[in-house]
Amino acid sequence: MRFLLDALLLSVTSCASTKVESTWSNPAFPARKIQSFAVFASTGYPTGRIEFEQKLTDALRKRGLDAIPGYQFVAYDEYPGRDEILRRVQA
């Protein structure tokens, strides 16, 4: 199964507030309808990351979008770089 990733990198500083630190997109990628989202968050603690990814995934699914939480690609205690995450998502 192949997932389309138009990268989403979020930083969550606490449960009360969210701040987007950076986003990335490939300008060479041709425009087309996104079929699936992979939701990734970066927090100071893994449980917060997993909780945020699940809540955002649930919200996207309620709106009819196919979303997959990042923890299905990155284990609880892993900290891979962007290239490794992209490799896993595209596998």
Side-chain angles (χ1 to χ4, degrees):
M1 179 179 256
R2 192 165 183 160
F3 300 104
L4 174 62
L5 174 65
D6 188 18
L8 172 63
L9 298 175
L10 298 174
S11 177
V12 178
T13 57
S14 72
C15 291
S17 66
T18 301
K19 177 181 175 186
V20 175
E21 295 261 334
S22 65
T23 62
W24 176 85
S25 64
N26 184 349
F29 196 76
R32 62 182 173 181
K33 185 177 179 182
I34 296 174
Q35 297 173 359
S36 298
F37 291 89
V39 178
F40 290 93
S42 175
T43 67
Y45 49 101
T47 54
R49 185 194 107 211
I50 290 169
E51 181 180 351
F52 180 82
E53 289 175 357
Q54 188 61 57
K55 285 184 178 184
L56 183 54
T57 297
D58 291 344
L60 290 168
R61 287 178 178 166
K62 284 180 183 176
R63 287 164 180 77
L65 300 170
D66 184 21
I68 300 105
Y71 63 77
Q72 290 188 4
F73 302 100
V74 178
Y76 181 82
D77 58 351
E78 278 187 295
Y79 299 95
R82 188 186 86 205
D83 291 340
E84 175 61 17
I85 291 171
L86 289 173
R87 186 190 68 73
R88 292 178 189 185
V89 169
Q90 293 171 348

